[in-house]
């Protein structure tokens, strides 16, 4: 079966769904293909800290009602080291805040509900997806639907929003692609606990035994993280050991002990950075995890995907509205500027807070950097400007 559209979007994660939404609002026809079923997409557990520019763009896309009703806007966070506590007031320093308690899962649900209302096609459980002719004026995407029937979509452009393991990035000739990677010597052990959080704001803790973090999923459920070795396993961490280690690392003068409760979920997340260049070839454009991965410390993953889409949607809308390809042609260069700034901040925050055993000299430097950060209003302001989110490069939606 053959069909036509203006933009074929591969991947129904936040990047693909948001791109489809912004294009539809400007009258640009699009089709989304997704390898997983809808239930998986809607319930895929992902953390989420929304930067101010991300919230602004979701508002512009008509997706802010539930977010503002159920999300929590945090104006500061707490930094702990050396047994001391320092609250950093992001609102006072930058005029901006972050949104928590509204993880990526909820953003995806909102995007899917909005697409249901417009009736635009989204094909779930597709297989054998193959972009063709991406260096021609008539690219196509071939795939099989959930029933095994073959389809071909002819499009003007293809958006590769299909994640790190997707088919779009490998479609660009390898001789033209350069990748940059960095693996970190630690991982995050994350838990969901049926225990009320001790703070409404995020707590980041630097300790000689390793990094830890406290956040909330609701007024009754806490989300906590521990730095562990990259080859560690969930089986090595019985509940009693988890709580003992968290209490030790999170301990600080004047702070109450963590509330303990039943642990509902455990997982280990590796820490790595990845960027591919360029983000475009012919009529194929990469966005989200297909283009980059950041360590979770600064929570830039979802926000970078939204930033990519801000630029890419502007380029596509401008092309169809004005016949102007200048933004599209410059998409890779423009998006990569923000990507690399986010990578740098994520690396710096990761290396600031995580302890590497056996590196005593580096540990002393970490302490000096932490002391310098909390002692300087200028340093804290720069940190918070990056943490709450640099402005998006897109123009149409602002």
């Amino acid at each position: 079966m053959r069909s036509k559209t203006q933009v074929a979007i591969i991947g129904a994660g936040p990047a693909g769904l948001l791109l489809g939404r912004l294009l539809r609002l400007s009258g640009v026809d699009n089709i989304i293909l997704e390898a997983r079923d809808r239930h998986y997409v809607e319930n895929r557990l992902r953390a989420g800290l929304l930067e101010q520019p991300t919230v602004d763009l979701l508002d512009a896309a008509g997706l802010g009602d539930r977010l503002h009703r159920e999300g929590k806007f945090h104006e500061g966070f707490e930094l702990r080291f050396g047994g001391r506590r320092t609250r950093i007031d992001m609102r006072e320093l930058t005029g901006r805040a972050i949104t928590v308690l509204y993880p990526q899962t909820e953003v995806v649900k909102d995007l899917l509900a909005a697409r249901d209302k417009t009736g635009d096609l989204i094909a779930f459980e597709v297989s054998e997806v193959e972009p063709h002719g991406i260096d021609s004026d008539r690219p196509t995407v071939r795939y099989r639907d959930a029933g095994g029937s073959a389809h071909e979509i002819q499009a003007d452009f293809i958006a590769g929003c299909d994640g790190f393991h997707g088919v779009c990035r490998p479609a660009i000739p390898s001789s033209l692609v350069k990748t940059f990677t960095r693996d970190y010597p630690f991982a995050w052990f994350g838990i969901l606990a049926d225990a009320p959080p001790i703070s409404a704001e995020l707590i980041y803790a630097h300790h000689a035994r390793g990094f830890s973090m406290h956040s909330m999923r609701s007024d009754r459920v806490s989300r906590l993280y521990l730095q562990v070795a990259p080859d560690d396993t969930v089986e090595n961490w019985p509940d009693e050991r988890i709580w003992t280690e968290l209490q030790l690392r999170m301990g600080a003068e004047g702070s109450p002990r963590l509330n303990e409760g039943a642990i509902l979920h455990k997982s280990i997340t590796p820490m790595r950075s990845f960027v591919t260049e360029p983000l475009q070839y012919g009529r194929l454009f990469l966005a989200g995890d297909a283009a980059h991965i950041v360590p979770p410390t600064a929570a830039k993953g979802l926000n970078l995907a939204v930033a990519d889409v801000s630029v890419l949607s502007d380029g596509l809308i401008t092309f169809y509205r004005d016949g102007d390809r200048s933004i599209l042609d410059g998409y890779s260069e423009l998006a990569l500027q923000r990507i690399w700034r986010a990578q740098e901040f994520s690396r710096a925050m990761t290396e600031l807070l995580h302890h590497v055993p056996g590196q005593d000299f580096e540990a002393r430097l970490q302490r000096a950097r932490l002391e310098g950060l909390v002692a300087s209003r200028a340093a804290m302001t720069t940190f918070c400007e990056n943490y709450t989110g640099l402005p998006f490069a897109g123009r149409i939606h602002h």
Side-chain angles (χ1 to χ4, degrees), residues 81-82 206-209 351-373:
F81 63 94
H206 170 80
H207 193 275
R209 292 180 64 87
E351 294 184 352
L352 177 70
L353 295 173
H354 291 74
H355 176 73
V356 180
Q359 295 192 11
D360 293 341
F361 184 79
E362 177 59 29
R364 296 296 192 276
L365 293 179
Q366 282 180 311
R367 184 61 174 268
R369 288 194 291 267
L370 286 163
E371 296 280 4
L373 173 63

Side-chain angles (χ1 to χ4, degrees), residues 46 160-170 179-181 183 272-276 286-294:
R46 292 290 187 273
C161 306
D162 53 344
F164 181 78
H165 298 290
V167 301
C168 288
R169 188 175 66 253
T179 59
F180 303 84
T181 61
D183 293 317
R272 62 175 173 173
S273 298
F274 169 84
V275 181
T276 188
L286 305 178
D289 285 358
H292 46 72
I293 293 174
V294 291

Side-chain angles (χ1 to χ4, degrees), residues 3-10 29-33 115 121-123 143 153:
S3 58
K4 289 185 178 182
T5 191
Q6 290 174 302
V7 182
I9 301 171
I10 303 177
D29 187 48
N30 62 91
I31 293 173
I32 299 179
L33 305 178
R115 194 166 183 91
L121 176 63
I122 175 168
Y143 70 97
I153 302 173

Side-chain angles (χ1 to χ4, degrees), residues 60-275:
L63 301 166
D65 288 350
R66 192 165 71 93
L67 187 159
H68 286 276
R69 190 168 62 248
E70 299 179 11
K72 301 291 185 183
F73 292 82
H74 285 189
E75 299 184 348
F77 64 91
E78 188 174 305
L79 183 62
R80 297 184 178 184
F81 63 94
R84 305 200 314 269
R85 307 162 61 192
T86 301
R87 182 180 184 270
I88 297 179
D89 192 328
M90 300 179 296
R91 176 73 75 183
E92 195 271 330
L93 291 166
T94 69
R96 301 201 297 269
I98 58 171
T99 301
V100 298
L101 292 190
Y102 208 79
Q104 178 175 313
T105 309
E106 302 307 313
V107 174
V108 167
K109 288 177 181 177
D110 291 342
L111 286 162
L112 285 169
R115 194 166 183 91
D116 288 342
K117 291 180 180 179
T118 60
D120 293 301
L121 176 63
I122 175 168
F124 291 100
E125 298 182 82
V126 301
S127 61
E128 299 180 30
V129 180
E130 296 180 353
H132 290 274
I134 58 177
D135 57 348
S136 71
D137 292 336
R138 293 181 177 275
T140 61
V141 180
R142 297 172 189 165
Y143 70 97
R144 291 189 180 276
D145 64 23
S149 298
H151 293 257
E152 180 177 282
I153 302 173
Q154 184 181 100
D156 298 327
F157 301 98
I158 300 173
C161 306
D162 53 344
F164 181 78
H165 298 290
V167 301
C168 288
R169 188 175 66 253
I172 300 176
S174 59
S175 61
L176 302 179
V177 173
K178 187 169 185 179
T179 59
F180 303 84
T181 61
R182 179 170 189 173
D183 293 317
Y184 293 85
F186 34 74
W188 273 16
F189 186 98
I191 67 165
L192 274 177
D194 185 14
I198 61 170
S199 171
E201 295 183 338
L202 297 174
I203 302 172
Y204 296 94
H206 170 80
H207 193 275
R209 292 180 64 87
F211 166 81
S212 62
M213 177 179 167
H214 172 286
S215 63
M216 60 190 300
R217 183 56 61 87
S218 72
D219 292 337
R220 292 291 312 167
V221 177
S222 296
R223 181 68 162 156
L224 303 116
Y225 296 93
L226 285 168
Q227 174 189 341
V228 298
D231 58 352
D232 212 336
T233 65
V234 170
E235 290 72 26
N236 285 339
W237 288 88
D239 293 5
E240 183 179 358
R241 183 188 179 195
I242 292 171
W243 287 117
T244 299
E245 195 66 23
L246 280 168
Q247 297 287 8
L248 180 63
R249 296 190 196 182
M250 295 294 301
E253 183 178 353
S255 174
R257 284 174 58 84
L258 297 173
N259 293 312
E260 299 184 14
I263 294 178
L264 309 174
H265 182 263
K266 303 177 183 180
S267 63
I268 292 182
T269 302
M271 306 280 280
R272 62 175 173 173
S273 298
F274 169 84
V275 181

